[in-house]
Amino acid sequence: MNVLLQIILGVLIGLIIVKSFKMPGARKMQAIMFLGKFYTCISNVEGKKLDKKTWDLVDLKDGKKGRRINIYFFLWPLLTTYRYPITYTKAIKKGQEKKGDSILFENTKTGDCVISRTNISDHVEFRKAYPTITKNLDTQELATVDLYTSNILEVVNPKKMLLEIDNYLGTAMELINGVLKGLVAEKKMVELNQFSSDEKEREKFDNAMNAINQSEAGRFCLPDAGMKLARSVYKDFDPSDEKAKQLMESYSDVVIAEQKGKATLAEQKGKTEAYKLRTDMEISQEKKKRIETGQAKEIDGKIVELIPEANTKVVAENIGKLSQTKGTVVIDSGGMNKMLNINPTKDEGGTE
């Protein structure tokens, strides 16, 4: 019996010792509870430390080093790590879903998905990106869309996040979604991608999102919940009802028609340029021929005088002499033809 008791005591002591050691992972912070009440916070964030008075996460001063050994001892079960349920979002590829996951967004072309997953956590992470699907937002033309953004949340005060607000992540998403609602309402559906493609619109987007980090006139802001929005990135949108899909298709039809028109104009322009090139080549060849045969004179590559052929010149001179003839000149048709160097042709009766 004594041996069995010693074994039980040994196992119990070993369990107490193992559970009493705490080693938060990289970039993570934890709250330690004493009989259900807050006792302290511990952290493992490079270049940062927790202010023991306010529990704000602050930078280490120049030259100072943080805790050398990432091991803490709190006697269990009197002192325990705070654990809480959390529903969070995650970007995955289609087919990587787990049991209980809910698909919030899916790109059928790329297979990218955003899922919602519920778990039990014992920490907060210093800086973490959360893919966010904001549903049923109305655009300027009252088209309903789902917006996909990626939002990086950064810890300011882990005690506030874990113990002074219920569901810190849900609170952050509500504030983010409220700003997105106002931004989308000012845009037509086809203009939404300007938030990532246009520099001025991207700056406007950043300024609007950063406003949730600032408290104005007593308005609740993210630092009040122990965090801040470090960065928000616009990713994509998706029409969320049939009316919005039809409107999107109508915009696409216009773009397709414009592209077809441009293609037709480009084809016609190509044909015109090809014809012009061929004509220029023919003119160039004729010009070269006339210069080589002595029918034209050129200076600096330009024709300055055309010289008629010898036969044509004789005919022209003979016709010119007729103007000096007094009286009436009678020339038969055959003679005129010979004089003008014209080949006789057959008449309709087939005689010359």
Side-chain angles (χ1 to χ4, degrees):
M1 186 67 180
N2 291 336
V3 174
L4 179 60
L5 182 59
Q6 290 176 357
I7 293 174
I8 294 174
L9 288 175
V11 171
L12 183 59
I13 292 172
L15 180 63
I16 291 174
I17 293 175
V18 169
K19 282 187 158 294
S20 295
F21 283 102
K22 309 294 181 184
M23 292 184 293
R27 304 183 309 278
K28 293 178 172 59
M29 286 153 276
Q30 297 176 308
I32 305 299
M33 312 297 287
F34 177 65
L35 298 178
K37 296 285 187 178
F38 174 75
Y39 179 73
T40 189
C41 281
I42 57 177
S43 68
N44 180 20
V45 181
E46 187 70 23
K48 302 278 188 179
K49 70 173 184 177
L50 288 170
D51 186 312
K52 298 299 183 180
K53 293 181 179 179
T54 63
W55 300 110
D56 287 337
L57 189 66
V58 297
D59 294 331
L60 290 170
K61 295 182 179 180
D62 294 341
K64 287 192 175 183
K65 297 182 180 180
R67 187 182 179 92
R68 293 185 178 182
I69 301 176
N70 183 40
I71 299 177
Y72 299 83
F73 182 85
F74 299 101
L75 186 61
W76 181 86
L78 297 178
L79 293 157
T80 58
T81 305
Y82 178 72
R83 294 167 63 85
Y84 62 99
I86 182 172
T87 299
Y88 60 96
T89 55
K90 186 175 181 179
I92 62 171
K93 284 290 185 180
K94 182 66 177 176
Q96 296 178 343
E97 307 97 309
K98 294 182 179 180
K99 185 178 180 180
D101 290 349
S102 298
I103 297 179
L104 303 178
F105 179 89
E106 180 180 353
N107 188 322
T108 55
K109 294 181 180 179
T110 64
D112 294 328
C113 296
V114 175
I115 57 97
S116 173
R117 182 176 292 171
T118 299
N119 209 337
I120 300 295
S121 179
D122 64 356
H123 67 274
V124 290
E125 193 160 347
F126 167 56
R127 190 179 286 137
K128 187 173 178 62
Y130 294 95
T132 306
I133 307 301
T134 307
K135 291 184 172 292
N136 299 324
L137 297 178
D138 291 332
T139 64
Q140 188 182 86
E141 68 269 69
L142 298 180
T144 306
V145 299
D146 297 338
L147 205 68
Y148 177 16
T149 57
S150 179
N151 299 284
I152 302 175
L153 295 180
E154 184 176 304
V155 175
V156 173
N157 187 307
K159 180 174 180 289
K160 287 182 178 180
M161 289 179 66
L162 293 170
L163 301 170
E164 295 184 14
I165 192 167
D166 180 36
N167 191 2
Y168 67 86
L169 188 55
T171 300
M173 293 302 111
E174 286 182 5
L175 291 175
I176 289 170
N177 293 345
V179 176
L180 292 175
K181 182 177 181 180
L183 287 170
V184 170
E186 297 176 354
K187 290 285 184 184
K188 292 183 178 179
M189 187 161 53
V190 292
E191 298 173 340
L192 292 177
N193 287 335
Q194 292 178 354
F195 289 137
S196 62
S197 62
D198 184 88
E199 184 176 351
K200 289 185 178 180
E201 291 299 327
R202 186 165 59 247
E203 182 179 357
K204 178 182 178 181
F205 179 87
D206 291 341
N207 290 338
M209 298 305 292
N210 288 334
I212 65 175
N213 293 327
Q214 303 162 7
S215 178
E216 296 180 2
R219 184 182 63 184
F220 184 85
C221 62
L222 271 183
D224 293 331
M227 54 192 157
K228 71 176 183 178
L229 181 65
R231 178 75 168 143
S232 182
V233 179
Y234 172 87
K235 304 285 283 185
D236 200 359
F237 79 93
D238 194 29
S240 61
D241 60 16
E242 194 59 34
K243 179 182 176 182
K245 291 178 182 178
Q246 292 175 359
L247 181 60
M248 192 64 196
E249 289 176 358
S250 70
Y251 282 125
S252 300
D253 291 341
V254 171
V255 172
I256 292 172
E258 289 178 350
Q259 293 302 318
K260 286 183 177 179
K262 290 179 181 179
T264 301
L265 290 175
E267 182 181 1
Q268 292 175 349
K269 182 180 178 182
K271 290 180 178 179
T272 301
E273 290 179 349
Y275 175 78
K276 182 177 181 298
L277 179 61
R278 187 184 68 184
T279 304
D280 290 345
M281 289 178 64
E282 291 174 350
I283 293 172
S284 178
Q285 291 173 354
E286 181 65 21
K287 174 181 172 182
K288 181 179 179 183
K289 176 182 175 183
R290 286 183 177 272
I291 293 173
E292 290 177 348
T293 58
Q295 297 178 37
K297 291 182 180 180
E298 59 98 14
I299 298 177
D300 296 332
K302 295 182 179 180
I303 293 179
V304 295
E305 182 181 354
L306 292 175
I307 302 173
E309 296 179 355
N311 293 337
T312 304
K313 184 177 182 181
V314 171
V315 173
E317 289 176 350
N318 289 336
I319 292 176
K321 290 178 180 180
L322 291 177
S323 64
Q324 301 173 4
T325 303
K326 296 180 180 180
T328 302
V329 178
V330 179
I331 302 175
D332 63 20
S333 60
M336 178 60 77
N337 285 342
K338 292 178 182 178
M339 184 177 181
L340 296 178
N341 198 24
I342 300 174
N343 293 325
T345 58
K346 293 182 179 182
D347 57 19
E348 295 180 357
T351 59
E352 291 185 359

